[in-house]
Every structure is written in C-alpha cells, then in structure tokens.
Amino acid sequence: MAELAGMPPERTQRLWRALGFADVPDDHPAFTDADVTALARLSALIDSGFVAPGAEASIARAMGQSLARLADWQTDMLATLLTAPDAASADRAAVETEAVRSTERLLPLMRELQDYVWRRHLAANAGRLFLAAPGGGDRRELAVGFADLVGYTSRSRGMGGRELGAMVEDFEGLAADVIARFRGRVVKTVGDGVLFTCADPVDAVEIALLLPDEWTAADRPPLRVGAAYGPVLTRLGDVYSPVVNLASRLTSIARPSTVLVDQQLARELRGVREYRVRPLRRVSVRGYDNLRPWLVRRSATGDEAPGVAAFEELLDEIADDVLAAPEEDELPGGAGPFAD
C-alpha cells in the first residue's frame, strides 16, 4: 500500500497510526483502493507546503481523533438499533439485513451533512482569523471559560447509566446552545465540564452568567464558571496558555452558581453598565500564590432602595480604584505568555 501511495513504508505506518488505526499483519487483506487513494491525498496535502514540515503526524492525529469520536457516536446509534427490544425478538438475520440496508441509505446523507458542517465551520473560522489583530493566526487575545458541575462525582455514583447519560447530554446540549448563541466556541467537553473561548470578553461573560441560570433545576447539580482573558495559543483545535490554567483555577474556587474572572477580564468589563465586578480576597491556588478573583454579576434593575444603590456605587468606585492600580502579575513566576 505504501508503494502504491508513493510514500516510504515508515511514513505510511506513522501516519496510519496517527490517524488512530491499528497495525495489521503483512499478509492480512485489510486494505482497499480507497485506503491507497486516501494516503496519496494526505501525502499530496503534506507535500504541497500547506502542512509545515514535522507537523504531518499532528495533523493526522487531530483529524483522526475528531472523526473517531463522530464514528463512535454513529456506531452507538447502530448498536442501539440492533439491541432494541423488538430487534431482540426478531430473526437475527433479518435484523442484520435491515441494519445493512439502513446504513447504505444513511451513510451518503451523513457524509453530505458532515461535509456541509465542516465547510460552515471553515468559513466561520476564516472570518475570525481575518478579523483578528495583526500577527494573529495561532496566537490571539481570547476569553477562555470553564463551566463545571459541582458535586458531579458524588452524584454520579448513585445514578444508573441511562440517567447519568441523560444528564450529561442535557448539560452538553445546553452548553453548546448558549455558547453558540453568543459567538463562542466549544473547545472540548469532559463529562462534568466544558471549555469554551470567545473573541469578545462581553460575550464570554454573558455565556458565563447564562449557563448557571439556564441549567438550574431541582434535580441537577449546580454549575460554576471561571473565565480569564489574555494571549492564547490555538493549535489543532485546542488552546494553550496560562490563561487557560487561570480560568480552570478560578472555576475550582467559585461557589455554586457563581462566576469568577481574572483581573484582566474584569478590566475589560469596565464601563459596561450591564455588569458589576467585585474584587474578592486574594487566594493561593496551585500555580498562583497571590491570585485575586473577581466576582461578576448582573447590575440591578434600578428599583433597589436608595441606600442600596448608594452602597453599590461606593463598591463600584472601590472596584474602579483596584482596576486602575498597576496590575500585579498573576501568571506563574517567570513564565512567558505561552510557557505553560
């Protein structure tokens, strides 16, 4: 297959593994012309110069992992069809025949839909790239947020698989909806949490405030959110920076149904009348010995008592004074902006 694709065997094997596929014995008839064509196209993409030297395995790995997750979901749907109660009582051969027939009918539709979704995301990402500041590309100023279910581990122990799956599906569905609504991007989900980014700090804070509100229900664990703003390295769909770590630490110390942000994101909200930011006492967390969290909440509707309004104005002045002071370095000691 390597010879037919015009690639050295060791390169073929390396890329094959990076795509997530297992080795097969040399005498096992596991490949078709489609595999040869795919490897030849991958080789042409690499040789075109579009992919930087040394990055080919990383590109293949990112592509393989993303599509493997999609394939897992699709095969789970097929497995559900095969194990349905009515399927269990039917003739096995008839069920398998119908499954094959359904797959042949659905695969072209799924392939067309996947191509459409990919093209739309490509267009959206290209738009964000061209709107980015000069020198952007993979280094950008972004707001990074974490949303985390409080007490997920202890609650999940007492749940059945179906109940737990339904709660995770509800959480991921709500998070995707709210984040997309305000022009954010879901970077990844991990069971009890979601990592998202936004180019606009105000959009990020709106997402952070809406998520706990819209998630709240008596039968659900509360949600907490932490967010930070600053230079971020984007690579293969993921994000890297001390800003990401800072958002994670802020989430870990946030109380249920609250939103904590770093000082830079609080500064970006200065003058935005819809929100109020309040400095909290400095804390020590892993990697940050002198971290000041900022509590974000919505401004009152204007019908509060005069004394309360005056007190809020005083707190606003104190917050403005803290924000106007020289910013203390809250990044890990000696770390550059992309060191972590």
Side-chain angles (χ1 to χ4, degrees):
M1 187 172 71
E3 182 179 355
L4 290 171
M7 299 172 68
E10 61 275 7
R11 187 186 193 189
T12 304
Q13 186 179 57
R14 183 175 69 253
L15 293 176
W16 187 256
R17 291 172 177 172
L19 286 169
F21 301 126
D23 291 351
V24 295
D26 289 341
D27 57 352
H28 187 65
F31 305 108
T32 68
D33 289 341
D35 297 303
V36 176
T37 301
L39 280 174
R41 287 173 177 168
L42 180 59
S43 178
L45 182 65
I46 293 166
D47 294 339
S48 70
F50 180 74
V51 177
E56 58 186 45
S58 297
I59 298 293
R61 187 166 57 250
M63 188 183 304
Q65 290 173 356
S66 299
L67 294 177
R69 183 178 180 185
L70 183 62
D72 284 345
W73 164 67
Q74 291 164 345
T75 50
D76 284 345
M77 292 177 63
L78 180 60
T80 300
L81 175 66
L82 291 173
T83 57
D86 55 340
S89 59
D91 178 66
R92 183 69 182 179
V95 171
E96 292 178 353
T97 299
E98 179 57 30
V100 170
R101 188 178 297 126
S102 298
T103 301
E104 290 174 342
R105 185 176 66 253
L106 294 175
L107 277 180
L109 299 177
M110 295 169 71
R111 182 168 58 245
E112 291 172 10
L113 180 59
Q114 288 165 197
D115 183 69
Y116 161 77
V117 173
W118 169 69
R119 288 176 179 273
R120 289 291 299 184
H121 276 297
L122 194 64
N125 287 334
R128 284 193 288 263
L129 173 63
F130 290 124
L131 290 173
D138 61 353
R139 287 173 170 78
R140 304 170 56 196
E141 294 283 322
L142 291 175
V144 179
F146 272 103
D148 177 314
L149 294 174
V150 181
Y152 169 84
T153 302
S154 58
R155 181 180 287 253
S156 63
R157 289 197 191 102
M159 286 184 168
R162 189 178 298 274
E163 184 184 6
L164 179 60
M167 186 181 74
V168 171
E169 173 61 26
D170 288 346
F171 169 62
E172 292 186 356
L174 173 70
D177 179 85
V178 172
I179 292 167
R181 204 186 310 169
F182 291 92
R183 296 166 290 280
R185 184 176 77 86
V186 175
V187 177
K188 65 180 77 172
T189 57
V190 187
D192 61 339
V194 59
L195 169 64
F196 65 92
T197 60
C198 267
D200 188 330
V202 174
D203 283 341
V205 169
E206 192 62 30
I207 291 169
L209 291 169
L210 273 177
L211 280 173
D213 285 350
E214 296 198 5
W215 173 253
T216 298
D219 60 341
R220 293 172 171 174
L223 193 63
R224 57 186 177 183
V225 186
Y229 185 79
V232 175
L233 171 67
T234 60
R235 182 175 181 273
L236 300 177
D238 211 337
V239 289
Y240 305 88
S241 168
V243 174
V244 181
N245 296 336
L246 185 53
S248 176
R249 301 296 179 268
L250 288 166
T251 306
S252 69
I253 61 175
R255 292 187 176 183
S257 302
T258 63
V259 176
L260 295 183
V261 302
D262 72 326
Q263 184 157 318
Q264 184 57 41
L265 185 47
R267 183 173 283 114
E268 295 290 330
L269 298 177
R270 243 180 134 179
V272 182
R273 299 179 60 86
E274 289 80 5
Y275 311 111
R276 283 200 160 113
V277 292
R278 298 289 180 254
L280 303 181
R281 185 170 55 186
R282 292 186 178 275
V283 296
S284 177
V285 295
R286 184 163 60 91
Y288 302 88
D289 294 331
N290 200 28
L291 173 63
R292 183 192 293 282
W294 288 74
L295 177 68
V296 179
R297 58 182 176 83
R298 297 192 186 280
S299 297
T301 57
D303 55 356
E304 67 267 26
V308 174
F311 183 63
E312 289 286 3
E313 289 179 5
L314 175 61
L315 292 179
D316 285 339
E317 292 177 6
I318 294 172
D320 285 343
D321 289 342
V322 175
L323 287 172
E327 184 177 2
E328 296 188 32
D329 183 17
E330 292 181 338
L331 300 180
F338 301 107
D340 197 346

